[in-house]
Amino acid sequence: MLKSVDMSQQKLYRLLRDEKTIWVLYLDIIKFHEVEFRYGYKICRQILEEIEREISQTIKQQRNLYLFSHFESRGGDDFVVYFVPGKNIHWNITEVIEQWVLPMEERFNRRIRKLVNEKISLRSGLAQCVNEVGRSADYLLYAAVKEAFLLNKSEPDPHFFARREEITHLVENPDKYLKAAFQPIIETRSGEVFGHEALARIPGSICFSNIADLFPFAEKIGQLYPIETLCRRQAITSYANVVRNKEMLFLNINPQVLIDPEFASGHTRKLLSEKGLAPTDVVLEITERSAIEDFSTFRDALDHYRNQGYLIALDDVGAGYSSLQSVAELHPDFLKIDRSLIQGVNADPIKWALLETFVTFSKRIGCRVIAEGVETAEEMRTVVQLGVDYVQGFFVAMPTFERESINPAALEILDPVRRLKSIDHSPILSMVEPLPLFDTNALVSSIETYFREHPHQWLVGITENSRIVGVMQRDRLFSALGTRYGVSLFLEKTVPIIMDTNPLIVEDTTPLEVVSSLAMQRSDAQLYDGIIVVNQHKPLGMVSVANLIKAISERQIQFAQGANPLTGLPGNLRIDQEIRQHLERGLTFGLIYVDLNKFKYYNDLYGFQQGDVAIKMLSEVLLNESFKSAGNTFVGHIGGDDFIIISSPSDLETLAVNILAQFEHSCKQLAGTENLSVALACLIINTNDQSWTTLLVSERAAQIKKEVKAMGGNSFLLR
């Protein structure tokens, strides 16, 4: 038997080398384990013998149609049939199921009527094997059998051969069929474009109108690496059409591709260099289409690319295989929150809480959060309010082949002056919680069902023409339905019959003190009802009285202290106020943007507590040296390892030199600080030279910071 199989395989190899095509058909019995359960092992053994006889007899009867044919059992109910079609065959590979499998299945079922009283169905997977230069015959045949096996075990695809042909054209002529589109990712603090995600597109495609179908199919037929390589090349080649000012390029990478020899060999790095890019300009966006099974090996691969300068983003966080374990094991630089969590986040308390948790978590581990798939103004306001670092989505800009302008409505939400005024005069915005909305045509029964399915939700809003016209309290609804005739009176009526038409509604610009006063003036029955927050009569969410009281207390303390909780230094609000006051007074002043180099690495290596010690040590150095300077010097803590110093222009250079010296001396008291250094971006703002704004100051300082960080070590740069 083995000798026969070997001879048959050798025959197939020879035919393949002679440029003949081989059809590989993988067959098994659908739900054979259930058949065995119903009839037992002995009957199933006879069924398998009968199918072997039928396949063998069918091949003999049709011998004149093929140059060669052969079948083999793969164990159990799995069989592989090989055909080398000849000139006499009257069907092509797309018709094998209809012309060969189905008739054979019918004859096989006639054979086993004496054994079972039901029809046994066969499942098919079909692949085509052709000779390829540089590939051995045994490899090609093995790959074809594997492909047929995968197709057999997956859902039937009526467009399989058309899709495969389209991928063949794409691989052979990528410049004609494959293009790269780019979608901007903007920074919430400044509104500036931080980078662009490269997205593959196949204009005019019939089989892959949804590009998401391309990669799973390519993986199924063993073409994932070539396809991803081509997409990557097209993205890098086309990026010059959209990039400005060293914006980052986000490249989607399947985890398995990172161990691809072609990727690891430096071809990608060479292509980047040819296009004027470096690994430090690229974020590798890990798309987990399949689970990462060996985190240790994968982490080693990531470290290899990190050492070259690439940054790492974990995609699809909150969906699919992307788990907290991935975050813990891989230490990404960015978390990209999946669209499934962003969609409707403004009105969904669970999504709201999850996103807030991710933001808080990311700040603790020194990571940055990107909200992707933002499609509405409400979603945009919510993700910005919750503190995400970057935003991407149709509301910001659509993916295009050329550079796309950012939606002005999105930039208005991000406008730092507007946001600062909102914080100053309307801190109510920072307390808004999602408010589920129902139309006035909704039945009371639908709200009753909603409350039962969401036991922690106690208030919903009622809208008409997108404007809030009332609310429904959980307790009052169930109290009304609990009366003797409550169910019959209310349940199948529309909601206006029972809703509260006089809730407290405030605009988002209403000062906090006014909101508090209005809330406390209500009747005892309404005193603890939720407060509805709107923007031009359109609902943004609601605020609970408990959170209102808590926020008033916390904010009074915060404004009294004006301090960062870790270092006790003034925080962002005070920093913005200080810069704005200098600009409004027309004063020339010096500014130092202070940032620790490699702090994330240090934090990961020595832990959060030691990281906090390093930040406190730096804050003490900044304070001590600032006190020694002749003029009034302001020191603020932006957050994390970022600080701001505002000082006299004449003191700036001396102050920077002293800070570097004192920092180097203080580092000797901490473990592992050979891994730490400080970068000082020094800027002199002369209000007579140009019309400075707080945003322009921030942008200019950030540019200088990039330059000085690239210098490495303890260094400063004065502009």
Side-chain angles (χ1 to χ4, degrees):
M1 181 67 179
L2 288 175
K3 184 176 180 181
S4 173
V5 171
D6 288 344
M7 290 178 63
S8 299
Q9 292 286 358
Q10 293 302 323
K11 176 72 172 176
L12 289 169
Y13 295 161
R14 286 196 298 272
L15 288 167
L16 192 59
R17 286 192 290 266
D18 290 340
E19 303 297 327
K20 304 300 182 185
T21 298
I22 301 173
W23 297 345
V24 180
L25 175 65
Y26 201 106
L27 295 172
D28 71 353
I29 296 174
I30 296 175
K31 296 182 178 179
F32 188 60
H33 61 285
E34 294 182 9
V35 177
E36 185 174 7
F37 178 79
R38 288 193 291 271
Y39 296 99
Y41 170 77
K42 290 185 178 179
I43 294 296
C44 283
R45 181 65 259 170
Q46 293 178 61
I47 290 174
L48 294 176
E49 290 171 356
E50 291 297 338
I51 193 171
E52 286 193 36
R53 291 191 186 99
E54 184 56 49
I55 292 174
S56 180
Q57 186 172 329
T58 301
I59 287 176
K60 287 179 182 178
Q61 290 174 348
Q62 298 178 348
R63 188 171 293 167
N64 66 314
L65 299 179
Y66 315 109
L67 298 177
F68 181 70
S69 56
H70 167 66
F71 91 96
E72 60 190 36
S73 172
R74 286 290 172 121
D77 63 320
D78 286 34
F79 302 90
V80 179
V81 186
Y82 304 91
F83 307 102
V84 181
K87 294 181 180 179
N88 296 327
I89 198 165
H90 59 278
W91 66 78
N92 59 39
I93 190 171
T94 62
E95 301 172 293
V96 167
I97 307 298
E98 180 182 352
Q99 297 289 340
W100 198 93
V101 177
L102 294 180
M104 190 274 294
E105 179 185 284
E106 186 176 344
R107 292 191 297 272
F108 157 67
N109 272 282
R110 286 200 292 267
R111 281 176 175 269
I112 62 172
R113 280 177 184 170
K114 61 184 182 294
L115 300 175
V116 297
N117 57 0
E118 62 181 278
K119 181 181 179 181
I120 303 297
S121 298
L122 299 177
R123 180 169 48 195
S124 307
L126 189 61
Q128 183 170 274
C129 185
V130 295
N131 193 29
E132 293 181 23
V133 177
R135 297 285 193 181
S136 64
D138 60 338
Y139 172 84
L140 292 170
L141 201 58
Y142 165 79
V145 172
K146 183 178 179 181
E147 180 182 328
F149 168 80
L150 292 173
L151 293 170
N152 171 278
K153 303 304 179 186
S154 61
E155 291 296 321
D157 182 0
H159 306 294
F160 172 80
F161 290 101
R163 288 184 172 191
R164 180 165 184 171
E165 184 177 4
E166 192 165 303
I167 280 189
T168 300
H169 292 321
L170 190 153
V171 171
E172 292 175 350
N173 196 350
D175 291 336
K176 179 178 179 181
Y177 294 103
L178 184 65
K179 294 191 73 175
F182 298 91
Q183 187 172 35
I185 299 169
I186 62 173
E187 188 175 4
T188 55
R189 176 180 284 184
S190 66
E192 293 298 311
V193 175
F194 175 73
H196 301 262
E197 180 181 357
L199 301 164
R201 293 292 183 264
I202 313 176
S205 173
I206 298 173
C207 300
F208 298 106
S209 54
N210 182 356
I211 197 67
D213 296 335
L214 172 66
F215 299 100
F217 185 83
E219 186 172 17
K220 184 188 294 185
I221 64 171
Q223 293 292 309
L224 178 63
Y225 285 6
I227 291 295
E228 287 226 3
T229 298
L230 292 173
C231 290
R232 196 162 55 247
R233 288 176 179 172
Q234 289 295 93
I236 295 170
T237 302
S238 306
Y239 195 46
N241 297 330
V242 299
V243 66
R244 293 178 191 167
N245 302 325
K246 287 289 185 180
E247 294 160 349
M248 305 296 289
L249 170 60
F250 283 70
L251 289 177
N252 288 289
I253 304 288
N254 186 288
Q256 305 309 317
V257 171
L258 288 178
I259 56 175
D260 177 14
E262 180 174 351
F263 191 77
S265 65
H267 290 176
T268 299
R269 193 171 181 178
K270 181 181 177 183
L271 183 59
L272 286 169
S273 178
E274 290 173 357
K275 299 302 176 182
L277 297 169
T280 51
D281 301 319
V282 176
V283 179
L284 301 181
E285 195 169 312
I286 308 301
T287 55
E288 292 191 89
R289 298 191 185 102
S290 58
I292 299 172
E293 296 178 357
D294 186 351
F295 275 107
S296 177
T297 301
F298 188 68
R299 193 167 54 243
D300 290 342
L302 276 188
D303 288 342
H304 168 73
Y305 298 111
R306 274 200 175 99
N307 291 336
Q308 295 181 37
Y310 294 102
L311 294 177
I312 305 298
L314 191 61
D315 196 15
D316 305 327
V317 172
Y321 288 106
S322 197
S323 63
L324 290 178
Q325 184 187 6
S326 301
V327 180
E329 296 279 359
L330 305 181
H331 302 170
D333 302 287
F334 303 91
L335 298 180
K336 293 198 75 177
I337 308 300
D338 188 71
R339 165 68 184 156
S340 61
L341 273 185
I342 302 301
Q343 185 176 23
V345 66
N346 53 292
D348 189 319
I350 303 243
K351 291 181 178 180
W352 184 296
L354 280 171
L355 180 57
E356 187 175 39
T357 300
F358 275 122
V359 170
T360 303
F361 170 65
S362 71
K363 304 232 182 289
R364 187 62 179 159
I365 65 172
C367 187
R368 286 168 280 179
V369 171
I370 302 171
E372 60 179 349
V374 174
E375 295 186 357
T376 68
E378 291 76 16
E379 291 170 357
M380 182 83 171
R381 288 192 188 95
T382 300
V383 300
V384 171
Q385 175 188 335
L386 290 178
V388 303
D389 301 286
Y390 306 96
V391 180
Q392 175 185 3
F394 291 168
F395 184 71
V396 175
M398 301 288 285
T400 55
F401 300 120
E402 302 292 336
R403 189 178 181 92
E404 177 71 355
S405 298
I406 305 301
N407 180 6
L411 292 177
E412 183 182 353
I413 292 172
L414 295 177
D415 179 63
V417 175
R418 184 175 181 271
R419 294 210 324 272
L420 185 59
K421 287 181 179 178
S422 295
I423 293 171
D424 284 343
H425 302 111
S426 184
I428 194 72
L429 278 176
S430 64
M431 290 175 280
V432 172
E433 301 175 34
L435 178 69
L437 300 175
F438 290 81
D439 190 79
T440 50
N441 294 321
L443 297 178
V444 173
S445 59
S446 66
I447 297 182
E448 188 261 355
T449 300
Y450 179 84
F451 278 137
R452 292 194 185 279
E453 292 176 349
H454 300 81
H456 299 294
Q457 188 67 36
W458 53 276
L459 182 71
V460 298
I462 312 301
T463 61
E464 187 173 61
N465 297 325
S466 300
R467 293 191 173 196
I468 195 86
V469 294
V471 297
M472 184 78 80
Q473 301 274 356
R474 165 189 283 274
D475 292 344
R476 289 177 194 165
L477 172 63
F478 285 118
S479 293
L481 294 177
T483 58
R484 185 173 182 180
Y485 301 106
V487 171
S488 57
L489 282 174
F490 303 123
L491 201 60
E492 296 307 318
K493 302 288 179 34
T494 54
V495 69
I497 194 173
I498 197 174
M499 73 181 183
D500 177 4
T501 57
N502 191 34
L504 175 55
I505 301 175
V506 299
E507 280 285 327
D508 59 349
T509 55
T510 308
L512 183 62
E513 294 76 15
V514 175
V515 176
S516 176
S517 176
L518 292 172
M520 295 302 106
Q521 290 173 18
R522 295 181 293 183
S523 67
D524 290 346
Q526 291 183 307
L527 191 58
Y528 293 101
D529 289 357
I531 302 159
I532 310 304
V533 181
V534 299
N535 178 268
Q536 297 180 350
H537 305 289
K538 293 184 179 180
L540 298 178
M542 67 98 180
V543 173
S544 68
V545 172
N547 285 340
L548 176 63
I549 295 172
K550 180 182 176 183
I552 289 174
S553 301
E554 289 178 349
R555 287 180 180 276
Q556 284 175 343
I557 294 171
Q558 182 182 7
F559 279 116
Q561 293 180 340
N564 180 283
L566 177 62
T567 61
L569 292 174
N572 286 320
L573 182 61
R574 283 283 313 282
I575 293 170
D576 286 332
Q577 288 174 342
E578 194 75 20
I579 294 174
R580 192 165 67 251
Q581 286 172 6
H582 277 75
L583 295 176
E584 289 172 354
R585 294 171 186 168
L587 302 174
T588 297
F589 61 98
L591 181 142
I592 303 178
Y593 194 129
V594 183
D595 188 21
L596 284 173
N597 295 319
K598 299 182 179 179
F599 178 70
K600 183 178 183 301
Y601 174 78
Y602 181 84
N603 212 35
D604 291 343
L605 191 61
Y606 293 97
F608 303 127
Q609 290 183 339
Q610 190 68 13
D612 287 349
V613 170
I615 289 175
K616 288 180 181 178
M617 180 268 287
L618 174 59
S619 71
E620 291 171 4
V621 169
L622 300 179
L623 277 175
N624 291 336
E625 295 307 316
S626 297
F627 289 152
K628 296 176 185 177
S629 61
N632 292 327
T633 302
F634 171 86
V635 181
H637 189 175
I638 297 172
D641 60 320
D642 291 0
F643 296 82
I644 284 288
I645 299 176
I646 299 174
S647 181
S648 167
S650 58
D651 296 337
L652 209 60
E653 185 170 353
T654 302
L655 180 58
V657 171
N658 292 341
I659 288 172
L660 293 182
Q662 185 58 41
F663 177 80
E664 189 172 349
H665 175 75
S666 298
C667 276
K668 296 175 182 177
Q669 304 171 21
L670 293 180
T673 45
E674 64 273 7
N675 298 302
L676 275 181
S677 58
V678 67
L680 306 180
C682 306
L683 171 65
I684 294 178
I685 294 99
N686 187 342
T687 53
N688 295 323
D689 289 348
Q690 63 183 102
S691 299
W692 287 92
T693 63
T694 53
L695 176 59
L696 194 57
V697 170
S698 174
E699 290 176 347
R700 185 67 178 128
Q703 290 172 0
I704 300 172
K705 186 186 80 165
K706 278 187 179 180
E707 294 181 48
V708 71
K709 284 181 76 69
M711 295 165 62
N714 292 317
S715 53
F716 79 93
L717 190 60
L718 176 61
R719 287 282 190 260

